[in-house]
C-alpha cells in the first residue's frame, strides 16, 4: 500500500505543477483552458453539461442544463484555488484526474 500512496502523491504533485504552468499560460494568452467537458443527455432533447476550466489561478467547474423546453442555466458553479483542486479531483475520480494530466501534458509541451 505504501507504493500506491507514493504514486498518488507524485501524481498530485505533478498535476499541481501542470496546473501552475497552465495558469501562467492562461495569464499570457488571456484564454482559459478547458480541462474537460462531460455531457449527459436527459430525456428528449435536454442535456446537462459539466465544464471544467483552468483560469488565471483558479479552476471553475460549471454544471449547465439546456435543451428541449429548458432555458439554458447554470445549475452549479464551483471555484477552486489551484492548490486545492488536485486533492478534490482525486477524491472525485482518479480516471478524470489522469485524463486532465494527460491533456495538460499534451497542451503544455
Amino acid at each position: 500500500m505504501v507504493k500506491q500512496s507514493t504514486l498518488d502523491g507524485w501524481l498530485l504533485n505533478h498535476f499541481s505543477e501542470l496546473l501552475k504552468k497552465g495558469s501562467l499560460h492562461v495569464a499570457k494568452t488571456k484564454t482559459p483552458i478547458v480541462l474537460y467537458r462531460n455531457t449527459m443527455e436527459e430525456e428528449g432533447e435536454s442535456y446537462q453539461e459539466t465544464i471544467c476550466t483552468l483560469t488565471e489561478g483558479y479552476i471553475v467547474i460549471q454544471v449547465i442544463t439546456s435543451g428541449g423546453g429548458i432555458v439554458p442555466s447554470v445549475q452549479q458553479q464551483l471555484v477552486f484555488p489551484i492548490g486545492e483542486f488536485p486533492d478534490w479531483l482525486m477524491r472525485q475520480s482518479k480516471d478524470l484526474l489522469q485524463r486532465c494530466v494527460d491533456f495538460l501534458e499534451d497542451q503544455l509541451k
Side-chain angles (χ1 to χ4, degrees):
M1 193 65 174
V2 172
K3 288 182 181 180
Q4 183 64 39
S5 65
T6 302
L7 182 59
D8 287 349
W10 178 86
L11 184 60
L12 288 174
N13 286 335
H14 182 58
F15 187 41
S16 292
E17 291 303 314
L18 288 171
L19 289 172
K20 289 174 189 173
K21 286 180 186 177
S23 182
L24 291 173
H25 178 73
V26 168
K28 288 179 188 174
T29 63
K30 303 296 185 203
T31 304
I33 298 172
V34 176
L35 294 175
Y36 65 85
R37 291 177 92 120
N38 290 333
T39 303
M40 286 183 10
E41 284 195 35
E42 302 288 328
E43 292 181 30
E45 299 174 14
S46 63
Y47 66 92
Q48 180 176 8
E49 185 172 29
T50 303
I51 304 167
C52 180
T53 308
L54 173 60
T55 64
E56 192 174 339
Y58 295 93
I59 308 294
V60 179
I61 299 175
Q62 296 178 315
V63 178
I64 301 168
T65 56
S66 182
I70 300 172
V71 176
S73 64
V74 176
Q75 296 297 310
Q76 185 177 22
Q77 188 171 33
L78 303 169
V79 179
F80 296 93
I82 286 178
E84 294 177 14
F85 183 67
D87 289 327
W88 180 85
L89 189 57
M90 175 73 89
R91 288 190 304 273
Q92 300 304 309
S93 169
K94 288 183 182 181
D95 291 336
L96 193 52
L97 185 138
Q98 187 62 55
R99 238 174 68 194
C100 290
V101 167
D102 293 343
F103 173 75
L104 283 175
E105 284 177 340
D106 187 52
Q107 293 295 306
L108 300 173
K109 284 183 182 176

